[in-house]
Amino acid sequence: MGDERQEELAAKAARGDRAALEALLTLIRPQVLRRCARFLPCFQDAEEACQDALLQVARTIERFEGRSLFSTWLYVVVANSARQTYRTLKRRAVEEAHEVTPIDRADPRTTSVIAGSRLDFLDALERLETRRPDLVAPIVLRDVCQLDYAEIAEHLGIPVGTVKSRIHQGRADLRESLLTTN
C-alpha cells in the first residue's frame, strides 16, 4: 500500500502538485534517512545527506517521467546525495586539518569497524570513479540500494548482461582497492 501511495504522489508531484510533493517528502523521509545511514556511519552526517536528498527530490521531481518506478529514481538521488555529503565532509576535514587552531574531533574510522569499513568503501568508490565511472552506478544500485539487475538495467538504459558485467568488474576493482589500502 505504501509503495502504491508513494508512486501516486510522485506522479502528481512531477506534474506540479505542491501538496502531493509535500506529502511525498514526508512519506519518504524515513526510508531516505535509512538509506543515507547505509553510506554514512555518523547519524548527523546521514541526516545531512537525507536533507540534501529531500531537497534534490523537491528541486528535480519534474524530471521524474515515470518510465521507471519512483523508488528506483529515488535510490539514485539518495546514493548521489550520500556520496556528495561524504565528499564534502572529506574536503572539510582536510581544510580543518590545515587550520592553525586544532579541532578536537574524533576520527570516525576509529569509532568502529563498521564505520571504518563504510569509509573505506566510499574511498574505494571515489578511486573507482576516477578510473572507471561507468562501474560506480551499477555497484551502488546493486550492493547499496539492493536493486535487482533488471531495475538497474532499466534505470541506466543498458542491457542486463552489461549490468552484470560492470558489477563483476567493479567488485573486482573495489576488492583490489580495499586490499591494497589496508
Side-chain angles (χ1 to χ4, degrees):
M1 179 69 178
D3 289 341
E4 291 173 14
R5 177 80 175 131
Q6 180 176 293
E7 296 297 326
E8 177 188 332
L9 288 171
K12 287 180 179 179
R15 292 190 301 267
D17 184 332
R18 301 302 294 169
L21 176 60
E22 291 301 320
L24 177 66
L25 293 174
T26 300
L27 179 67
I28 65 174
R29 188 184 190 293
Q31 69 177 304
V32 169
L33 182 57
R34 277 192 308 275
R35 295 207 180 272
C36 288
R38 282 185 164 167
F39 278 96
L40 301 162
C42 179
F43 184 73
Q44 292 86 353
D45 298 342
E47 281 185 321
E48 182 179 331
C50 175
Q51 290 304 316
D52 290 345
L54 294 173
L55 184 60
Q56 191 67 16
V57 168
R59 286 182 177 159
T60 62
I61 189 68
E62 74 280 350
R63 293 185 200 155
F64 174 65
E65 299 171 350
R67 288 182 288 165
S68 64
L69 292 174
F70 172 74
S71 57
T72 302
W73 184 82
L74 181 61
Y75 288 142
V76 175
V77 171
V78 170
N80 289 338
S81 291
R83 292 178 60 225
Q84 185 57 45
T85 297
Y86 177 70
R87 285 186 197 112
T88 301
L89 293 169
K90 228 169 94 168
R91 189 174 48 251
R92 276 189 219 150
V94 169
E95 290 168 359
E96 289 173 357
H98 288 71
E99 289 180 1
V100 176
T101 310
I103 298 173
D104 188 21
R105 187 173 294 171
D107 180 359
R109 290 177 187 267
T110 62
T111 60
S112 75
V113 171
I114 293 170
S117 297
R118 287 184 194 167
L119 295 174
D120 289 342
F121 175 71
L122 288 168
D123 285 340
L125 276 177
E126 292 293 311
R127 289 189 296 274
L128 179 60
E129 191 164 38
T130 62
R131 291 186 310 277
R132 291 290 309 272
D134 60 317
L135 302 180
V136 174
I139 286 187
V140 169
L141 293 174
R142 179 69 180 158
D143 294 342
V144 178
C145 299
Q146 300 175 337
L147 296 182
D148 65 38
Y149 294 112
E151 287 177 298
I152 297 167
E154 181 182 338
H155 180 76
L156 297 177
I158 57 178
V160 172
T162 303
V163 168
K164 289 179 179 180
S165 173
R166 288 182 182 175
I167 290 170
H168 177 76
Q169 290 172 346
R171 284 175 178 164
D173 191 291
L174 285 173
R175 189 176 307 111
E176 180 67 28
S177 181
L178 288 168
L179 289 174
T180 58
T181 59
N182 291 330

